[in-house]
Amino acid sequence: DGIRELDARISVCRACPRLVEWRESVATEGRRAAFADQPYWGRPGPSFGDPDAEVLVVGLAPAANGTNRTGRMFTGDRSGDWLYAALHRGGYASQPTSVASGDGLVLTGLRIVATVRCAPPANKPTTEEKATCAPWLDRDLELSEPRLRSMLALGSIAWDAALGAARRRGWLVPRPKPTFGHGAEVILRTATGRPVRLVGSYHVSQQNTFTHKLTEAMLDDVIARL
Ligand code: DU
Ligand code: SF4
């Protein structure tokens, strides 16, 4: 089907020279000591979850030792521990942890996508890299649109990416551009006038969770609105 083909195409993309170099160098000589005996994925992260999802979660980019190691979105790092535990509490994930492919995790009704699919140095993609990767997000949105009910943007970069993708698909997006915040919410309209809810959340990164800027209750609250 379309999603499988899309995921296969994404996973061999080499459009961003800096990110190809980074993802591959981390996967070879740059492996974290704790994972030195593991093979790293070292490629772009395809979407993960239900191909027939009514909900999309939009992340920022793979972590160098997380998705770039395991090949699955938000898998193998602390951000993922937070996200999957919350998706399990919310009824979308079959188990609270995501370890690696083959661990039995299944998402129902929800799929995870990202603004940029390759791990960027310092978790910071450039403006050009975000623009280069945007067509993959556009295609994910296009394939999901017939069933799509809502999107959760993790962080302001994902929020902007979701709004950009919606505009490019000809959806009605309020102007001025809706402002990101934790709990921010806007109703977008597809070209056929169907409402799609966009909800903002602080990103599940350690920076936010360790400092309690983002709590489990805050995350549960935005997931409940999807
Ligand atoms: O081989 P597959 O059934 O397409 O599943 C690939 C992968 O996607 C598997 O690790 C579970 C996940 N997945 C899911 O989370 N939810 C679905 O509805 C279908 C597949
Ligand atoms: Fe391709 Fe996106 Fe990776 Fe750039 S970030 S190489 S566009 S998958």
Side-chain angles (χ1 to χ4, degrees):
D1 61 76
I3 300 273
R4 263 169 210 262
E5 189 193 324
L6 174 62
D7 287 350
R9 286 166 61 206
I10 288 174
S11 69
V12 294
C13 180
R14 303 182 64 84
C16 304
R18 187 183 79 120
L19 300 186
V20 170
E21 153 69 22
W22 181 249
R23 78 193 195 202
E24 291 177 355
S25 69
V26 170
T28 51
E29 70 267 23
R31 291 185 235 186
R32 190 172 285 166
F35 308 128
D37 59 337
Q38 297 184 11
Y40 270 49
W41 174 246
R43 284 166 35 183
S47 68
F48 177 71
D50 189 344
D52 298 319
E54 292 163 12
V55 177
L56 288 181
V57 172
V58 186
L60 169 55
N65 292 282
T67 297
N68 192 54
R69 174 169 60 92
T70 61
R72 184 195 282 170
M73 287 288 174
F74 285 96
T75 299
D77 63 7
R78 290 190 195 278
S79 296
D81 294 346
W82 263 74
L83 180 61
Y84 286 107
L87 293 179
H88 181 64
R89 291 193 297 274
Y92 290 106
S94 61
Q95 57 189 49
T97 57
S98 179
V99 181
S101 70
D103 65 0
L105 174 63
V106 175
L107 304 182
T108 302
L110 181 146
R111 198 163 84 258
I112 304 176
V113 300
T115 305
V116 164
R117 310 293 179 130
C118 293
N123 297 317
K124 223 180 143 25
T126 65
T127 302
E128 187 186 356
E129 287 158 355
K130 284 184 271 188
T132 304
C133 209
W136 295 131
L137 182 62
D138 290 356
R139 181 69 179 143
D140 254 316
L141 194 63
E142 180 184 358
L143 290 169
S144 308
E145 187 179 301
R147 294 164 305 277
L148 195 63
R149 181 177 77 225
S150 56
M151 296 191 280
L152 180 67
L154 296 175
S156 65
I157 292 173
W159 175 264
D160 288 348
L163 290 173
R167 275 222 178 90
R168 286 188 297 273
R169 278 210 60 67
W171 295 11
L172 197 63
V173 177
R175 286 188 190 273
K177 188 178 81 176
T179 307
F180 172 76
H182 186 82
E185 193 173 308
V186 57
I187 303 294
L188 310 172
R189 299 229 168 237
T190 68
T192 59
R194 212 166 50 72
V196 176
R197 179 185 308 248
L198 173 65
V199 179
S201 172
Y202 290 147
H203 194 277
V204 289
S205 71
Q206 280 189 77
Q207 264 178 36
N208 290 333
T209 56
F210 275 30
T211 58
H212 307 290
K213 184 178 177 184
L214 177 66
T215 64
E216 289 186 350
M218 288 165 70
L219 192 52
D220 289 349
D221 169 68
V222 287
I223 288 173
R225 291 202 237 155
L226 300 173

